Amino acid sequence: MIREPLAAGMTRHWDVDEVVVDTRTEFQHLVIARTSQGLSLFCDDDRQSTEFSQLTYHEALMVPALLLADRVDRVLVIGSSEGVVCQMAVAAGASVVDHIDIDAQAVRLCAEHLPYGYTLDELALAEKGEGPVHVRYIDGYEYIRTTSERYDIVLVDLPDEREEEAQHNRLYGAEFLAMCKALLTPGGVVVSQAGCQTMWRNTTLIRMWERFNEVFGTVAYYGSDEHEWAYLFGRADEVADPTALMVERLPGCGYQPESIDDLALVGNSIPPYQVRHSLA
C-alpha cells in the first residue's frame, strides 16, 4: 500500500497489486506500481500519473498552451519525466522540443516501464539529440537562468510546491516565472502545473495565481473537470479574451485532444472563488 499525503490530516491509500520499481534515485523515492488505475508513477509517495488518467492530466497541461501561443515551433519542457507533453508538442508542429529534467534515472525508468510517453528507443534518440526532442539531464532552474534560447512555450511540470524546504520549490517562485517570461518569443506562453483546486488543498494554487498575475500581462486558468489539478498560463502581452482565442484556435490545432473540447475550454476557465478573491 502507498500512503499519499493530500493535506493536513488527510492521506489517500493506494492498493498496490504489483511493485514494478521501488528505488531511491539521486533526487527522490520513485515507485512504479500496478494499481486499480493501471501502471502508476509515484514520486516521494505523491501520485504523478497513472495509465488510466494521464492523458486527461497531460492534455489539460499542454493543450491550452498550444492554443494560446501564437506559434508552436520551439518548446521548452522542465520536468514532466514521462515525456507525454513533448510528444504532444511535436504532434502540434514543434520542430524543437528541449526537455530538461534533473533526474536521468526517473526519465529512463518511465520510458522502460510506463506504457505512455517515451519508449526506450525514442528516449535514446532524444538523448542523442536526433529528432525534434532533445533530452538533457540538468537543473531546470540553472538552465532557465543561463540559456540564451527563446521559446514559444515554456512548460513547467513538477511535483507540488512543498510547505517544507524542497529543491524544486524555487521553480514556483515569481523570480523564476519572470525568468521564464524573458525566454518567450512574441506571443509566447509560460505554463505551470499550479496545484489542486479543492479548498482543502488550494494553498499552492492561490500562491501561483498571485505570482502569475504579478508577472504576466495575461493570465489564463484551466481547472480540469475530470482530474484534481489546475494549470496557469501566462503571456507577457495583454490578450483581451484568452479563452475565446483558445476556442477559436482549437479546430486548427495540430494536436487534437481526446479530453478537451470547446465547452471544456469555456467551462474550466474560471478559477475557484477563493482563488479569484485572493487578489482582492
Side-chain angles (χ1 to χ4, degrees):
M1 177 180 291
I2 294 175
R3 294 172 173 83
E4 180 186 8
L6 295 183
M10 297 179 65
T11 303
R12 177 161 50 202
H13 292 186
W14 290 80
D15 292 332
V16 173
D17 300 322
E18 177 191 4
V19 175
V20 178
V21 175
D22 186 345
T23 189
R24 184 164 294 279
T25 74
E26 185 180 352
F27 301 98
Q28 58 194 327
H29 177 213
L30 182 146
V31 174
I32 296 175
R34 196 174 301 279
T35 72
S36 61
Q37 295 190 22
L39 282 167
S40 307
L41 172 66
F42 298 85
C43 295
D44 292 331
D45 294 329
D46 281 340
R47 182 274 321 272
Q48 300 302 311
S49 62
T50 73
E51 190 174 355
F52 173 70
S53 67
Q54 65 82 19
L55 187 64
T56 297
Y57 173 91
H58 287 115
E59 287 191 341
L61 172 67
M62 175 54 96
V63 170
L66 296 175
L67 300 174
L68 188 57
D70 285 351
R71 294 195 313 162
V72 181
D73 182 47
R74 296 180 54 81
V75 174
L76 174 63
V77 173
I78 305 292
S80 207
S81 302
E82 305 95 322
V84 176
V85 293
C86 299
Q87 295 172 328
M88 290 179 180
V90 172
S95 65
V96 173
V97 180
D98 286 331
H99 185 184
I100 306 298
D101 198 297
I102 200 171
D103 196 335
Q105 187 178 357
V107 175
R108 290 166 180 161
L109 286 170
C110 287
E112 181 178 358
H113 296 288
L114 295 179
Y116 48 92
Y118 297 135
T119 65
L120 283 173
D121 288 343
E122 289 169 341
L123 179 58
L125 290 174
E127 289 175 335
K128 296 175 184 176
E130 297 179 4
V133 180
H134 304 163
V135 172
R136 280 176 277 184
Y137 302 116
I138 54 179
D139 185 333
Y141 187 96
E142 287 304 309
Y143 180 82
I144 290 284
R145 187 179 68 84
T146 59
T147 186
S148 60
E149 300 289 344
R150 294 294 179 266
Y151 296 96
D152 305 312
I153 295 174
V154 175
L155 182 148
V156 184
D157 181 27
L158 301 169
D160 269 359
E161 182 180 8
R162 305 289 192 185
E163 292 298 326
E164 68 276 14
E165 183 177 349
Q167 188 270 349
H168 69 268
N169 279 359
R170 57 190 179 146
L171 281 78
Y172 281 99
E175 179 183 7
F176 179 75
L177 293 175
M179 290 192 297
C180 291
K181 183 177 75 169
L183 302 186
L184 293 178
T185 59
V189 171
V190 173
V191 50
S192 179
Q193 186 279 113
C196 181
Q197 56 267 61
T198 59
M199 64 186 299
W200 53 87
R201 199 181 177 183
N202 64 4
T203 302
T204 298
L205 179 55
I206 290 173
R207 288 175 184 162
M208 289 297 281
W209 177 250
E210 293 170 349
R211 292 166 183 161
F212 262 73
N213 278 278
E214 173 187 341
V215 171
F216 296 99
T218 295
V219 179
Y221 169 90
Y222 190 86
S224 177
D225 53 354
E226 295 182 310
H227 218 297
E228 56 193 311
W229 302 113
Y231 313 85
L232 293 174
F233 308 83
R235 280 181 53 146
D237 58 345
E238 294 186 9
V239 177
D241 191 339
T243 302
L245 180 61
M246 288 188 279
V247 170
E248 177 186 339
R249 289 174 169 174
L250 179 61
C253 183
Y255 175 84
Q256 283 296 301
E258 298 180 26
S259 64
I260 294 176
D261 57 13
D262 54 349
L263 293 179
L265 288 169
V266 173
N268 299 329
S269 67
I270 300 175
Y273 181 91
Q274 287 193 5
V275 177
R276 284 183 283 122
H277 284 263
S278 68
L279 298 178

